[in-house]
Amino acid sequence: MSETDTPPRAAIVPGRGAIPDADMARAARHIGDIGRFFSQRVVGQERLRTSLISTLLAGGHILLESVPGLAKTTAAETLAASIGGSFHRIQCTPDLMPNDIVGTQIYNYGTGSFTTQLGPVHANLVLLDEINRSSAKTQSAMLEAMQERQTSIGGEVFRLPHPFMVLATQNPIEEEGTYVLPEAQMDRFLMKEVLTYPSPQHEIEVLDRIASGQQNAPLPAAPVSLDDIVFLQELANGVYVDTAIKRYIVDIINTSRFSGPRPVPGLQDQLRVGASPRGAIALMKVGQALALQAGRAFVIPDDIKAVRHAVLRHRLVRTFDALANGIQPEQIIDVIFDYVPAP
């Protein structure tokens, strides 16, 4: 190899933390580019931005919930615009059919054969707007795509593009014409982020941007390519997770199942079902993504604590008494974390 040749990048061993400084610097540059691009359209919402980037780095899917008008769709579209990949938006309605999402076969009378037309789910980033407006039959069509990264049309399997990410939105206050998401599908979402109202200062900035035309100005070219996203995902997968952190995660998940090192008294009165092993995986992977965003090659307990609500709030099934008394899943999660000693 000559002196001008660039040496190949060393393979990153998953979970070992052996990440070169040059790779960490490149990751910081790409993450910063996405964050600055995001800020051109979305004012404030730092927690939302962190959750979206964490989900992207972890290779998962995210569910966004809020009352109307809090920029859920804008945030999803802006994240997609920051990446040089394909993006499709699906407006969910009660009459939306599974074939409208995954695709269908069309008969050609001229040739006497069928041709496959792929649906909008075949994109790098897919926005499912108001997912709870689609029927259970249509929602189930997304399970294979979200979990297996593939669709089946006419007995033939079609792989989805890589990377692939689903961003779904739902409105919690409307009941007419909506369907509750089944637990099996909720568990497929790596995170569930609940948006809150902006501060008065941020709301004034939104009005200023609209009045000046900045909010509707064309966005520049995507600063991050698909290859860069794949690189970031590989790097996040290589962030070191110590055995003590893994034990901490498992203790948290087992405590939600009424066991663990220090069971919570009376938890059975608040929960019917605790978090699944997929919840433990999500805590670890989101913790790795959060550590990478902080410029660290290792996960610390604070990373796990920081994402506890977004990762676990949709994985806990509350009892009727808890629902009737207005006990929120975040309150239960905080109690569980208080009982489990951090390493």
Side-chain angles (χ1 to χ4, degrees):
M1 183 174 66
S2 64
E3 294 181 357
T4 59
D5 291 337
T6 302
R9 187 167 65 91
I12 298 174
V13 180
R16 298 305 301 170
I19 301 178
D21 291 340
D23 286 348
M24 292 295 291
R26 178 185 170 187
R29 185 170 66 253
H30 292 326
I31 293 172
D33 289 340
I34 296 174
R36 286 186 290 272
F37 195 96
F38 189 85
S39 299
Q40 294 183 58
R41 275 289 187 270
V42 182
V43 179
Q45 300 288 9
E46 287 83 5
R47 191 181 66 192
L48 171 62
R49 178 178 57 189
T50 301
S51 295
L52 288 173
I53 295 177
S54 297
T55 303
L56 182 63
L57 299 187
H61 314 293
I62 188 169
L63 177 63
L64 306 178
E65 179 179 284
S66 77
V67 297
L70 294 189
K72 299 186 297 296
T73 303
T74 300
E77 292 176 340
T78 305
L79 178 68
S82 69
I83 300 167
S86 56
F87 169 70
H88 289 157
R89 179 178 181 269
I90 303 172
Q91 180 63 52
C92 295
T93 57
D95 60 349
L96 188 73
M97 298 299 293
N99 288 347
D100 297 328
I101 292 178
V102 301
T104 187
Q105 288 187 315
I106 301 175
Y107 182 73
N108 189 323
Y109 286 95
T111 61
S113 60
F114 285 93
T115 57
T116 300
Q117 180 177 342
L118 298 179
V121 75
H122 290 266
N124 294 113
L125 277 85
V126 177
L127 170 60
L128 291 175
D129 223 347
E130 295 185 298
I131 185 175
N132 55 332
R133 287 196 176 277
S134 59
S135 65
K137 184 177 182 180
T138 302
Q139 290 175 13
S140 65
M142 288 300 300
L143 288 178
E144 181 183 18
M146 294 173 65
Q147 186 65 26
E148 306 298 332
R149 311 299 172 103
Q150 67 181 31
T151 60
S152 300
I153 306 173
E156 187 176 355
V157 174
F158 296 88
R159 299 296 302 177
L160 294 173
H162 179 70
F164 172 70
M165 177 178 173
V166 171
L167 305 96
T169 70
Q170 70 174 4
N171 180 353
I173 63 174
E174 291 189 33
E175 296 181 0
E176 185 175 352
T178 62
Y179 302 83
V180 177
L181 294 181
E183 283 78 7
Q185 184 162 2
M186 290 287 284
D187 207 29
R188 257 69 175 189
F189 287 102
L190 186 76
M191 303 178 73
K192 177 185 176 182
E193 191 59 69
V194 178
L195 282 68
T196 58
Y197 287 110
S199 66
Q201 292 80 5
H202 287 152
E203 206 157 358
I204 291 174
E205 185 176 346
V206 171
L207 299 180
D208 288 340
R209 289 189 179 190
I210 293 176
S212 65
Q214 178 185 351
Q215 192 68 16
N216 298 320
L219 288 169
V224 180
S225 68
L226 290 180
D227 289 340
D228 295 331
I229 297 302
V230 173
F231 163 78
L232 289 174
Q233 291 180 345
E234 292 177 351
L235 214 61
N237 195 40
V239 171
Y240 177 66
V241 185
D242 191 77
T243 302
I245 298 293
K246 294 176 183 176
R247 171 56 60 185
Y248 179 50
I249 292 172
V250 171
D251 287 345
I252 289 167
I253 298 300
N254 276 273
T255 300
S256 75
R257 303 175 195 154
F258 321 120
S259 58
R262 293 177 60 191
V264 179
L267 187 61
Q268 294 91 334
D269 298 332
Q270 312 299 331
L271 286 182
R272 285 197 295 116
V273 181
S276 69
R278 195 178 282 122
I281 297 171
L283 278 175
M284 183 183 73
K285 293 186 73 66
V286 177
Q288 289 176 304
L290 206 62
L292 185 61
Q293 292 177 71
R296 281 183 278 102
F298 54 91
V299 177
I300 60 176
D302 285 346
D303 294 328
I304 308 302
K305 294 177 181 178
V307 300
R308 64 189 187 279
H309 292 158
V311 170
L312 296 178
R313 59 162 54 103
H314 59 296
R315 304 180 193 274
L316 305 180
V317 181
R318 288 169 288 170
T319 62
F320 175 78
D321 287 343
L323 292 170
N325 293 325
I327 298 176
Q328 299 301 313
E330 292 82 0
Q331 297 174 262
I332 301 174
I333 293 168
D334 287 341
V335 171
I336 292 173
F337 269 75
D338 288 341
Y339 268 79
V340 178

PDB file of all heavy atoms in Angstrom, residues 98-113:
ATOM      1  N   PRO A  98     -54.515  -3.194   3.592  1.00  0.00           N
ATOM      2  CA  PRO A  98     -53.113  -3.637   3.646  1.00  0.00           C
ATOM      3  C   PRO A  98     -52.389  -3.494   2.312  1.00  0.00           C
ATOM      4  O   PRO A  98     -51.216  -3.115   2.284  1.00  0.00           O
ATOM      5  CB  PRO A  98     -53.231  -5.104   4.075  1.00  0.00           C
ATOM      6  CG  PRO A  98     -54.514  -5.170   4.836  1.00  0.00           C
ATOM      7  CD  PRO A  98     -55.431  -4.200   4.176  1.00  0.00           C
ATOM      8  N   ASN A  99     -53.080  -3.785   1.199  1.00  0.00           N
ATOM      9  CA  ASN A  99     -52.434  -3.667  -0.110  1.00  0.00           C
ATOM     10  C   ASN A  99     -52.046  -2.229  -0.438  1.00  0.00           C
ATOM     11  O   ASN A  99     -51.129  -1.997  -1.234  1.00  0.00           O
ATOM     12  CB  ASN A  99     -53.359  -4.207  -1.208  1.00  0.00           C
ATOM     13  CG  ASN A  99     -53.477  -5.717  -1.167  1.00  0.00           C
ATOM     14  OD1 ASN A  99     -52.703  -6.382  -0.491  1.00  0.00           O
ATOM     15  ND2 ASN A  99     -54.450  -6.258  -1.874  1.00  0.00           N
ATOM     16  N   ASP A 100     -52.755  -1.267   0.167  1.00  0.00           N
ATOM     17  CA  ASP A 100     -52.411   0.135  -0.054  1.00  0.00           C
ATOM     18  C   ASP A 100     -51.066   0.483   0.566  1.00  0.00           C
ATOM     19  O   ASP A 100     -50.451   1.493   0.205  1.00  0.00           O
ATOM     20  CB  ASP A 100     -53.496   1.045   0.536  1.00  0.00           C
ATOM     21  CG  ASP A 100     -54.840   0.854  -0.128  1.00  0.00           C
ATOM     22  OD1 ASP A 100     -54.864   0.544  -1.335  1.00  0.00           O
ATOM     23  OD2 ASP A 100     -55.876   1.019   0.555  1.00  0.00           O
ATOM     24  N   ILE A 101     -50.611  -0.334   1.504  1.00  0.00           N
ATOM     25  CA  ILE A 101     -49.345  -0.082   2.201  1.00  0.00           C
ATOM     26  C   ILE A 101     -48.211  -0.937   1.643  1.00  0.00           C
ATOM     27  O   ILE A 101     -47.153  -0.430   1.279  1.00  0.00           O
ATOM     28  CB  ILE A 101     -49.508  -0.339   3.719  1.00  0.00           C
ATOM     29  CG1 ILE A 101     -50.436   0.706   4.330  1.00  0.00           C
ATOM     30  CG2 ILE A 101     -48.152  -0.308   4.417  1.00  0.00           C
ATOM     31  CD1 ILE A 101     -50.681   0.492   5.811  1.00  0.00           C
ATOM     32  N   VAL A 102     -48.417  -2.251   1.574  1.00  0.00           N
ATOM     33  CA  VAL A 102     -47.319  -3.148   1.192  1.00  0.00           C
ATOM     34  C   VAL A 102     -47.192  -3.308  -0.318  1.00  0.00           C
ATOM     35  O   VAL A 102     -46.110  -3.590  -0.834  1.00  0.00           O
ATOM     36  CB  VAL A 102     -47.487  -4.535   1.850  1.00  0.00           C
ATOM     37  CG1 VAL A 102     -47.512  -4.412   3.354  1.00  0.00           C
ATOM     38  CG2 VAL A 102     -48.753  -5.234   1.358  1.00  0.00           C
ATOM     39  N   GLY A 103     -48.298  -3.141  -1.055  1.00  0.00           N
ATOM     40  CA  GLY A 103     -48.250  -3.313  -2.505  1.00  0.00           C
ATOM     41  C   GLY A 103     -49.216  -4.390  -2.962  1.00  0.00           C
ATOM     42  O   GLY A 103     -49.872  -5.060  -2.149  1.00  0.00           O
ATOM     43  N   THR A 104     -49.311  -4.578  -4.266  1.00  0.00           N
ATOM     44  CA  THR A 104     -50.261  -5.533  -4.814  1.00  0.00           C
ATOM     45  C   THR A 104     -49.771  -6.052  -6.156  1.00  0.00           C
ATOM     46  O   THR A 104     -48.778  -5.551  -6.704  1.00  0.00           O
ATOM     47  CB  THR A 104     -51.646  -4.873  -4.987  1.00  0.00           C
ATOM     48  OG1 THR A 104     -52.594  -5.861  -5.356  1.00  0.00           O
ATOM     49  CG2 THR A 104     -51.589  -3.788  -6.062  1.00  0.00           C
ATOM     50  N   GLN A 105     -50.478  -7.044  -6.663  1.00  0.00           N
ATOM     51  CA  GLN A 105     -50.197  -7.585  -7.989  1.00  0.00           C
ATOM     52  C   GLN A 105     -51.248  -7.096  -8.972  1.00  0.00           C
ATOM     53  O   GLN A 105     -52.443  -7.117  -8.677  1.00  0.00           O
ATOM     54  CB  GLN A 105     -50.173  -9.115  -7.955  1.00  0.00           C
ATOM     55  CG  GLN A 105     -48.954  -9.700  -7.269  1.00  0.00           C
ATOM     56  CD  GLN A 105     -48.893 -11.213  -7.410  1.00  0.00           C
ATOM     57  OE1 GLN A 105     -49.887 -11.896  -7.237  1.00  0.00           O
ATOM     58  NE2 GLN A 105     -47.728 -11.727  -7.733  1.00  0.00           N
ATOM     59  N   ILE A 106     -50.787  -6.661 -10.138  1.00  0.00           N
ATOM     60  CA  ILE A 106     -51.675  -6.123 -11.175  1.00  0.00           C
ATOM     61  C   ILE A 106     -51.618  -7.034 -12.391  1.00  0.00           C
ATOM     62  O   ILE A 106     -50.528  -7.383 -12.871  1.00  0.00           O
ATOM     63  CB  ILE A 106     -51.264  -4.686 -11.546  1.00  0.00           C
ATOM     64  CG1 ILE A 106     -51.332  -3.775 -10.304  1.00  0.00           C
ATOM     65  CG2 ILE A 106     -52.157  -4.141 -12.658  1.00  0.00           C
ATOM     66  CD1 ILE A 106     -50.836  -2.375 -10.555  1.00  0.00           C
ATOM     67  N   TYR A 107     -52.800  -7.403 -12.882  1.00  0.00           N
ATOM     68  CA  TYR A 107     -52.873  -8.297 -14.045  1.00  0.00           C
ATOM     69  C   TYR A 107     -52.746  -7.493 -15.336  1.00  0.00           C
ATOM     70  O   TYR A 107     -53.428  -6.476 -15.525  1.00  0.00           O
ATOM     71  CB  TYR A 107     -54.188  -9.070 -14.037  1.00  0.00           C
ATOM     72  CG  TYR A 107     -54.311 -10.049 -15.178  1.00  0.00           C
ATOM     73  CD1 TYR A 107     -53.577 -11.232 -15.183  1.00  0.00           C
ATOM     74  CD2 TYR A 107     -55.160  -9.797 -16.250  1.00  0.00           C
ATOM     75  CE1 TYR A 107     -53.679 -12.139 -16.226  1.00  0.00           C
ATOM     76  CE2 TYR A 107     -55.277 -10.698 -17.303  1.00  0.00           C
ATOM     77  CZ  TYR A 107     -54.539 -11.867 -17.279  1.00  0.00           C
ATOM     78  OH  TYR A 107     -54.638 -12.757 -18.316  1.00  0.00           O
ATOM     79  N   ASN A 108     -51.830  -7.920 -16.195  1.00  0.00           N
ATOM     80  CA  ASN A 108     -51.611  -7.288 -17.493  1.00  0.00           C
ATOM     81  C   ASN A 108     -52.325  -8.111 -18.557  1.00  0.00           C
ATOM     82  O   ASN A 108     -51.913  -9.239 -18.860  1.00  0.00           O
ATOM     83  CB  ASN A 108     -50.104  -7.208 -17.776  1.00  0.00           C
ATOM     84  CG  ASN A 108     -49.791  -6.374 -19.014  1.00  0.00           C
ATOM     85  OD1 ASN A 108     -50.526  -6.409 -19.995  1.00  0.00           O
ATOM     86  ND2 ASN A 108     -48.696  -5.625 -18.940  1.00  0.00           N
ATOM     87  N   TYR A 109     -53.400  -7.545 -19.122  1.00  0.00           N
ATOM     88  CA  TYR A 109     -54.179  -8.283 -20.119  1.00  0.00           C
ATOM     89  C   TYR A 109     -53.382  -8.503 -21.403  1.00  0.00           C
ATOM     90  O   TYR A 109     -53.609  -9.464 -22.137  1.00  0.00           O
ATOM     91  CB  TYR A 109     -55.472  -7.534 -20.440  1.00  0.00           C
ATOM     92  CG  TYR A 109     -56.501  -7.628 -19.338  1.00  0.00           C
ATOM     93  CD1 TYR A 109     -56.609  -6.627 -18.375  1.00  0.00           C
ATOM     94  CD2 TYR A 109     -57.361  -8.709 -19.254  1.00  0.00           C
ATOM     95  CE1 TYR A 109     -57.540  -6.709 -17.357  1.00  0.00           C
ATOM     96  CE2 TYR A 109     -58.308  -8.810 -18.240  1.00  0.00           C
ATOM     97  CZ  TYR A 109     -58.385  -7.795 -17.294  1.00  0.00           C
ATOM     98  OH  TYR A 109     -59.310  -7.890 -16.276  1.00  0.00           O
ATOM     99  N   GLY A 110     -52.445  -7.625 -21.686  1.00  0.00           N
ATOM    100  CA  GLY A 110     -51.666  -7.767 -22.910  1.00  0.00           C
ATOM    101  C   GLY A 110     -50.734  -8.962 -22.872  1.00  0.00           C
ATOM    102  O   GLY A 110     -50.595  -9.695 -23.857  1.00  0.00           O
ATOM    103  N   THR A 111     -50.090  -9.179 -21.730  1.00  0.00           N
ATOM    104  CA  THR A 111     -49.126 -10.280 -21.609  1.00  0.00           C
ATOM    105  C   THR A 111     -49.730 -11.489 -20.910  1.00  0.00           C
ATOM    106  O   THR A 111     -49.150 -12.573 -20.927  1.00  0.00           O
ATOM    107  CB  THR A 111     -47.894  -9.814 -20.821  1.00  0.00           C
ATOM    108  OG1 THR A 111     -48.298  -9.421 -19.497  1.00  0.00           O
ATOM    109  CG2 THR A 111     -47.222  -8.636 -21.516  1.00  0.00           C
ATOM    110  N   GLY A 112     -50.894 -11.298 -20.274  1.00  0.00           N
ATOM    111  CA  GLY A 112     -51.510 -12.401 -19.558  1.00  0.00           C
ATOM    112  C   GLY A 112     -50.764 -12.802 -18.300  1.00  0.00           C
ATOM    113  O   GLY A 112     -50.871 -13.945 -17.856  1.00  0.00           O
ATOM    114  N   SER A 113     -50.027 -11.860 -17.703  1.00  0.00           N
ATOM    115  CA  SER A 113     -49.241 -12.156 -16.510  1.00  0.00           C
ATOM    116  C   SER A 113     -49.464 -11.063 -15.469  1.00  0.00           C
ATOM    117  O   SER A 113     -50.006  -9.989 -15.773  1.00  0.00           O
ATOM    118  CB  SER A 113     -47.748 -12.261 -16.848  1.00  0.00           C
ATOM    119  OG  SER A 113     -47.283 -11.032 -17.400  1.00  0.00           O
TER     120      SER A 113
END
